[in-house]
Amino acid sequence: MIAKPSFEHLQGIIPKCNKDLNFWIGLYHLYGIHTYPHLGVDLVISLLLVQDGKICEFSHRLRTLQINEFSWNCLINGYAKHGDPRNVLFLFDRMREDFLYPSGYAIVSVLNACAKLKAYKTGKEIHAHLLIHGLLGSNPFISTALVDMYAKCGMIAEAEEVFRMLPHRNTVTWNALIAGYVRCELSAKAIHCFRQMREQGASPDAVTYACIFKALSHIEFSDVEASIGEFIHEIHAEVERKGILYANMVVGTCLVEMFVQWGMLAKAHEVFDEIQGHNVISWNALMAGYAQLGNDTDVVELFNKMIREDIEPDPVSFTIVLNVCNHSGQLDKGQMYIQMISTTYSITPTLVHHICMVDLFGRAGNFEIAVAMIKKVPISDYLPIWISLLGACQKWQNVKLGLLAFENVVGWKKNHAAAYVCMGNIYAMQKEENSI
């Protein structure tokens, strides 16, 4: 019979074997380590160090251990670390069944899981627990996670309420609220919050600036102040002075997008050239800017240059160039790009890609190919693509196919006003032509 190791011996070898999951499974079966009440804690900690995601494979065995509060916290953090928010919330519920409650960073893990799954009810329960026990504001990480959870669930009023109650606010806490405003398209509030942040002595970081540039990209003109141009110039100069623009790709890309949205294409290109190590997102931002201004040739040149620099285009890149082909009626180039999507880059064409091609074929009068392409699209995407074909039928006064497209559109949306107007125009033009 194999002798059972001492508790001290097992404790000593745990740190040396923390990455060998099979070792733990064997140890579990061979020696029944669940008979050591306190060893469960060390076992959980060890499992958290497993990097290959197998924690889920073995975690159910831990339920036979005498798990204490610390062990539950470690296990919750382990699932959070491996990107499994559903099991984080499952373990949180199980923990409460044992009349225990997470503490410290485990609460942050649960709140982050609530944010990812939009589980705001659970988040509100945690908020209530923090208030009852006087814990709100005692830990900046928990406070920030709570603000972030409400913001990501679209509950801005609740996020603001928590934010106002905090005795101390750091940069990350300010960022959580500013990012929430941006996510909810409250750009003016995001900019106002940013100004308050600086007035109260908090230092903006790369995340702050990225959020502000996004806010400036989507701000409504009715909310624009007379001094907004000075503000843009000031923030641009600030990120340059701090070296953030050159060191952080996200900030640089957001600044390019902002200048594009304001129609300042020369400035956008200037910033683009200053960014170190472009990625597909920054290329897309610049291409989209030229496309908005109708500079089709420049868009195609940028697309080709991106490929020459070994940056693989993504679905957004192809959407931009296909729209350019659509607007300029370049059917041959459109066919080349749609073929390139799947054959060269193994990308599955999106609904937008199909709509562009149906529109292109329809505008060129190639209705048979357009209909054949529609049949390849999932039935759930039929409405926008039949609308596209209906528009092409109006151009070519194709009553028969136009009627088919119209029937498909109203079959999905009975009161689609544009479809009735379009079909009416087709009949009117046909009637006018017959009278002549």
Side-chain angles (χ1 to χ4, degrees):
M1 184 175 178
I2 301 173
K4 197 170 186 177
S6 67
F7 175 73
E8 290 75 16
H9 178 66
L10 286 173
Q11 267 196 320
I13 63 175
I14 279 172
K16 299 174 185 177
C17 305
N18 57 45
K19 289 190 178 181
D20 190 347
L21 185 65
N22 291 325
F23 166 81
W24 288 116
I25 295 174
L27 194 66
Y28 180 89
H29 286 295
L30 189 61
Y31 296 116
I33 57 174
H34 55 284
T35 59
Y36 294 100
H38 303 292
L39 191 61
V41 173
D42 297 304
L43 177 55
V44 173
I45 293 171
S46 179
L47 283 169
L48 295 183
L49 298 176
V50 178
Q51 298 297 314
D52 57 5
K54 290 184 180 178
I55 186 172
C56 304
E57 180 181 321
F58 191 49
S59 62
H60 69 279
R61 301 178 189 274
L62 295 174
R63 294 169 189 168
T64 61
L65 297 172
Q66 296 179 28
I67 302 179
N68 58 20
E69 181 182 333
F70 181 71
S71 305
W72 278 114
N73 286 339
C74 289
L75 191 54
I76 284 172
N77 288 335
Y79 274 105
K81 175 183 169 184
H82 289 293
D84 191 347
R86 294 189 184 282
N87 269 318
V88 168
L89 295 188
F90 171 76
L91 287 171
F92 173 63
D93 289 337
R94 283 291 307 274
M95 187 177 184
R96 288 191 296 176
E97 288 173 9
D98 288 351
F99 302 102
L100 296 172
Y101 210 88
S103 59
Y105 197 76
I107 292 182
V108 175
S109 294
V110 177
L111 286 170
N112 288 341
C114 291
K116 288 178 182 176
L117 299 176
K118 302 293 187 289
Y120 65 89
K121 289 183 180 179
T122 302
K124 291 185 85 169
E125 289 174 16
I126 295 173
H127 184 185
H129 172 85
L130 295 172
L131 286 172
I132 291 168
H133 293 86
L135 299 174
L136 186 61
S138 62
N139 184 316
F141 296 103
I142 293 175
S143 304
T144 300
L146 187 59
V147 172
D148 185 61
M149 183 276 299
Y150 277 129
K152 285 180 177 173
C153 290
M155 303 172 72
I156 286 296
E158 287 80 359
E160 291 173 328
E161 181 185 348
V162 173
F163 185 83
R164 282 193 295 266
M165 292 174 67
L166 301 180
H168 306 289
R169 302 155 184 166
N170 60 21
T171 299
V172 182
T173 313
W174 282 98
N175 287 348
L177 186 59
I178 291 171
Y181 284 136
V182 174
R183 195 176 293 108
C184 294
E185 300 180 358
L186 299 169
S187 298
K189 278 197 168 188
I191 294 167
H192 177 69
C193 189
F194 172 75
R195 285 172 167 157
Q196 283 186 315
M197 174 186 184
R198 293 201 299 182
E199 287 170 3
Q200 294 184 24
S203 298
D205 61 9
V207 174
T208 321
Y209 290 117
C211 289
I212 291 305
F213 291 141
K214 286 181 181 178
L216 288 165
S217 296
H218 300 103
I219 194 167
E220 297 289 337
F221 284 105
S222 58
D223 295 329
V224 172
E225 305 167 11
S227 59
I228 197 71
E230 294 176 11
F231 179 70
I232 290 172
H233 177 74
E234 176 191 344
I235 302 304
H236 181 194
E238 198 171 297
V239 293
E240 282 190 323
R241 186 173 64 253
K242 291 183 176 181
I244 295 175
L245 177 60
Y246 311 107
N248 192 290
M249 171 67 68
V250 175
V251 173
T253 302
C254 289
L255 184 55
V256 169
E257 290 175 341
M258 185 206 72
F259 280 129
V260 163
Q261 292 300 320
W262 282 82
M264 303 165 71
L265 203 52
K267 201 70 178 172
H269 209 139
E270 179 186 319
V271 172
F272 178 84
D273 290 337
E274 291 174 355
I275 296 173
Q276 299 296 317
H278 301 117
N279 60 16
V280 68
I281 299 172
S282 57
W283 279 101
N284 288 346
L286 191 61
M287 286 192 294
Y290 279 102
Q292 284 178 22
L293 295 179
N295 297 352
D296 296 346
T297 303
D298 291 322
V299 174
V300 174
E301 286 179 2
L302 284 169
F303 181 82
N304 293 334
K305 187 178 179 182
M306 176 179 72
I307 292 173
R308 287 197 301 272
E309 294 189 9
D310 294 325
I311 305 293
E312 286 198 3
D314 66 3
V316 176
S317 313
F318 282 107
T319 297
I320 295 167
V321 291
L322 283 172
N323 272 320
V324 164
C325 294
N326 195 2
H327 295 150
S328 56
Q330 299 181 65
L331 179 58
D332 291 340
K333 275 192 175 180
Q335 287 179 289
M336 179 189 73
Y337 288 132
I338 199 72
Q339 187 175 8
M340 191 187 295
I341 288 174
S342 51
T343 57
T344 308
Y345 296 102
S346 301
I347 297 172
T348 303
T350 66
L351 172 62
V352 176
H353 298 152
H354 285 298
I355 289 175
C356 284
M357 290 310 299
V358 167
D359 209 26
L360 259 174
F361 284 121
R363 287 171 183 269
N366 296 337
F367 291 110
E368 287 185 12
I369 300 176
V371 173
M373 181 161 281
I374 288 174
K375 291 178 180 177
K376 295 178 183 177
V377 176
I379 194 168
S380 58
D381 294 333
Y382 268 17
L383 180 60
I385 208 162
W386 279 112
I387 291 170
S388 176
L389 185 62
L390 184 57
C393 291
Q394 179 177 332
K395 176 187 174 183
W396 290 94
Q397 300 175 33
N398 189 324
V399 178
K400 184 178 179 181
L401 190 56
L403 187 58
L404 176 65
F406 172 78
E407 287 172 350
N408 274 278
V409 171
V410 297
W412 283 94
K413 189 175 180 181
K414 190 174 182 180
N415 298 320
H416 197 289
Y420 284 95
V421 171
C422 198
M423 197 65 216
N425 289 338
I426 294 173
Y427 279 128
M429 286 187 292
Q430 184 70 21
K431 185 178 180 181
E432 184 179 332
E433 185 178 296
N434 291 338
S435 65
I436 294 172

